[in-house]
Amino acid sequence: MLVSIKNWYRPESITEALSLMKKGMVIPYAGGTSFHRGGKITATGMIDLRKLDLDFIHETESGTTIGACARFKDIANYNLTDGRKILKEACSLAASTSLRNLITIGGSLASKPIWSNIPAALLALNAEIEIAGGNAGKFGIGKFLDEKPLDGTSLITKVFIPKSPGVGIYYRYSETKFDYSLIDTAVYLELKNVEIETIRIAVGNLLPKARRLYNLEESLKGLPINSERIADLVDKLEINPISSSIASKEFRSNLVKVFIKRAFKQVGQKNA
């Protein structure tokens, strides 16, 4: 709940928006869904970002650039191909249709709500986050999640996803379609002949923050995609999920292994 709001600002440039943020006690918003999660948010002003022309999706030779104000529904409906389909699927399965019409990729990354499935997808795709303002720069998604560079005077402006010529697979589990997910898993693979050359595995809503499973990736790299060792190595994965009132740690730990093995099996069947 928002209280004490006295001023509404509608800047027409990123520079103007950042200048307003320096005033303090003002909050930028686009979709606004993060302000409806309960509790009180104390601020005296709101900065409407909708005039900043950040609601775009552009293709270049090197990949896909998504403006921070692009909504989940636009990403879900966009023709993302190759491994980048991971993000398309993550956005299409998040929340409800009405919420996907409002939620922006920048807002979801900035507020990191419990229901967000995009951090795992972006980790598997080696995405880069561009920030303007006090901590201006480009941050790999892993560094962004770890360092939390948004300091109240910074804005996410773009998300860049490099071309991903391999195969991307995304799984999400929740009790019902609209529930928060208990776990989401993103797997990205590139094969050379039939051997695993590039591998990125990320999980979300399982640990305090979305994470790559680097040790597992390293153990699987170089194996034939249909190797029986893959299932054995995945079964040895040690992971300690955060507590959940809905499902036990054991259930969630086993489920992530099921998802990972299913992804490899799916790719293996295509390369049999």
Side-chain angles (χ1 to χ4, degrees), residues 115-228:
W115 46 259
S116 183
N117 299 133
I118 61 171
L122 293 175
L123 279 168
L125 292 171
N126 236 9
E128 184 178 75
I129 314 301
E130 186 169 321
I131 293 175
N135 284 327
K138 296 179 180 179
F139 297 80
I141 179 63
K143 185 176 181 181
F144 173 84
L145 294 173
D146 287 341
E147 297 187 3
K148 302 177 181 178
L150 297 178
D151 62 354
T153 65
S154 306
L155 280 175
I156 296 172
T157 56
K158 301 173 185 176
V159 176
F160 174 72
I161 305 171
K163 282 190 174 179
S164 308
V167 180
I169 296 175
Y170 177 82
Y171 294 120
R172 175 184 186 271
Y173 177 82
S174 62
E175 286 200 310
T176 69
K177 185 177 180 180
F178 298 139
D179 280 339
Y180 299 148
S181 62
L182 289 171
I183 179 176
D184 65 311
T185 305
V187 177
Y188 175 76
L189 296 170
E190 292 179 20
L191 304 181
K192 185 174 183 179
N193 297 323
V194 295
E195 293 183 351
I196 300 167
E197 183 175 47
T198 299
I199 175 172
R200 292 191 288 271
I201 304 172
V203 295
N205 293 311
L206 188 69
L207 301 169
K209 64 183 72 173
R211 285 289 186 191
R212 286 265 304 272
L213 302 180
Y214 288 105
N215 289 340
L216 179 60
E217 292 172 4
E218 190 62 29
S219 69
L220 296 173
K221 190 173 181 180
L223 291 178
I225 188 61
N226 287 309
S227 172
E228 294 181 359

Side-chain angles (χ1 to χ4, degrees), residues 235-252:
D235 283 333
K236 292 177 181 178
L237 174 66
E238 294 183 4
I239 195 163
N240 185 27
I242 56 176
S243 298
S244 168
S245 59
I246 299 175
S248 69
K249 290 185 177 183
E250 292 76 14
F251 173 80
R252 298 168 77 208

Side-chain angles (χ1 to χ4, degrees), residues 11-14 17 48-55 69 155:
E12 297 188 2
S13 70
I14 293 173
D48 186 341
L49 303 179
R50 289 177 290 182
K51 291 186 177 181
L52 303 188
D53 295 326
L54 293 176
D55 57 345
C69 292
L155 280 175

